[in-house]
């Protein structure tokens, strides 16, 4: 069983949904930098104010800030059981910092799961996405409707549309993905860690395929 895992893919590829499904069956720590930033924004901390000024426009939060929060989180004892990094690393300096960090704490990355998805489908998914304010569970206005409109099936929280899920911010996010994050696929292929999955097969099939790979 692979335990220290990176989940990669463009915005809208299904990382959050897959991470939540994997977390139900695997005893791993879920580290989503996007969720950490959104939590800080909700709490109104200085980190939140700084992060919001980048996130709302679709830009990446600077590397030193992002690496800092991941470093702090990975140092916590619960990460010894294994972790799933969701949305980190997104730049080459982040990947290099992670390599150093994971070797310092003797928890090397064992798999990089990459979700492939075509760009038209990403736009369709993101523009219809709704997220629970309380637990972060993702829904979609057409393909993943909640049982009751505007209400989370899991915790009863209120569903909302993320500020960065609009057309303008999405364009910027896709540009960052193509320019800053995509080159990491070569980086991890070179390290012999990359495995590609087609996220268009649907969330249940994708989950089965990824889980069986991680269990090998
Ligand atoms: P996500 O929830 O993963 O889509 O992340 C939402 C936003 O948070 C991104 O569009 C970035 O603005 C910011 N963010 C999340 N992870 C990172 C990261 N590793 N590096 C820089 N910015 C990030």
């Amino acid at each position: 069983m692979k335990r220290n895992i990176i989940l990669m893919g463009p915005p809208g590829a299904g990382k959050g949904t897959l991470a939540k499904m994997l977390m139900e069956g695997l005893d791993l720590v879920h580290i989503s930098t996007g969720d950490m930033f959104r939590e800080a924004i909700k709490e109104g901390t200085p980190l939140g104010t700084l992060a919001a000024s980048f996130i709302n426009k679709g830009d990446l939060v600077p590397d030193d800030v992002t690496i800092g929060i991941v470093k702090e989180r990975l140092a916590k004892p619960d990460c010894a059981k294994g972790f799933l990094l969701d949305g980190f690393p997104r730049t080459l300096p982040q990947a290099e910092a992670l390599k150093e960090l994971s070797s310092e704490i003797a928890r090397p990355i064992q798999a990089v799961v990459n979700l492939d998805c075509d760009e038209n489908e990403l736009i369709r998914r993101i523009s219809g996405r709704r997220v629970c304010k309380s637990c972060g569970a993702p829904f979609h206005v057409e393909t993943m409707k909640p049982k009751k409109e505007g209400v989370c099936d899991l915790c009863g929280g209120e569903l909302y549309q993320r500020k960065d899920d609009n057309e303008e911010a999405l364009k910027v996010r896709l540009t960052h993905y193509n320019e800053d994050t995509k080159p990491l696929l070569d980086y991890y292929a070179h390290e012999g860690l990359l495995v590609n999955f087609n996220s268009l097969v649907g969330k249940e099939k994708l989950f089965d395929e990824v889980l069986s790979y991680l269990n090998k």
Side-chain angles (χ1 to χ4, degrees):
M1 165 78 201
K2 298 171 185 69
R3 304 212 66 85
N4 305 327
I5 303 153
I6 297 174
L7 190 53
M8 288 188 67
K15 298 187 297 293
T17 303
L18 177 64
K20 286 223 153 46
M21 292 169 87
L22 288 170
M23 281 311 113
E24 281 172 23
L26 303 177
D27 189 24
L28 298 177
V29 176
H30 178 205
I31 304 177
S32 156
T33 39
D35 283 351
M36 288 161 97
F37 289 136
R38 279 184 289 276
E39 195 58 34
I41 293 171
K42 203 159 82 181
E43 286 170 4
T45 65
L47 169 69
T49 309
L50 177 86
S53 68
F54 293 94
I55 293 177
N56 293 344
K57 289 184 288 182
D59 281 325
L60 294 178
V61 178
D63 282 338
D64 56 339
V65 177
T66 309
I67 291 166
I69 63 164
V70 172
K71 185 172 181 178
E72 214 173 277
R73 185 63 190 90
L74 280 179
K76 295 200 171 148
D78 60 344
C79 289
K81 63 184 176 182
F83 50 81
L84 178 74
L85 282 166
D86 162 5
F88 182 93
R90 266 174 151 104
T91 66
L92 199 53
Q94 291 180 14
E96 279 165 352
L98 176 63
K99 190 173 181 184
E100 212 178 290
L101 191 62
S102 56
S103 101
E104 267 170 31
I105 58 175
R107 289 168 200 157
I109 301 300
Q110 293 165 332
V112 177
V113 169
N114 178 51
L115 306 185
D116 281 325
C117 189
D118 104 353
E119 202 156 304
N120 289 332
E121 175 65 8
L122 296 176
I123 294 167
R124 197 194 60 74
R125 287 183 183 184
I126 295 268
S127 48
R129 176 157 70 180
R130 299 292 181 271
V131 183
C132 175
K133 254 185 191 167
S134 306
C135 73
F139 294 86
H140 190 279
V141 291
E142 284 163 8
T143 54
M144 232 201 291
K145 288 185 185 174
K147 289 190 189 101
K148 189 171 169 212
E149 201 185 317
V151 180
C152 175
D153 289 350
L154 306 181
C155 76
E158 185 192 339
L159 303 187
Y160 79 113
Q161 181 167 33
R162 278 170 45 173
K163 267 199 182 149
D164 58 343
D165 277 353
N166 63 70
E167 208 177 314
E168 210 177 320
L170 179 58
K171 264 192 207 147
V172 180
R173 289 160 72 197
L174 287 172
T175 304
H176 281 300
Y177 174 75
N178 286 318
E179 290 178 2
D180 302 313
T181 310
K182 224 173 169 182
L184 298 186
L185 301 182
D186 280 343
Y187 177 91
Y188 285 118
H190 189 72
E191 304 248 311
L193 291 169
L194 185 74
V195 190
N196 288 304
F197 294 87
N198 177 3
S199 98
L200 293 173
V201 296
K203 59 178 182 167
E204 302 295 345
K205 187 156 190 278
L206 177 67
F207 169 70
D208 289 345
E209 287 176 2
V210 172
L211 190 62
S212 84
Y213 171 72
L214 295 177
N215 275 326
K216 268 188 210 156

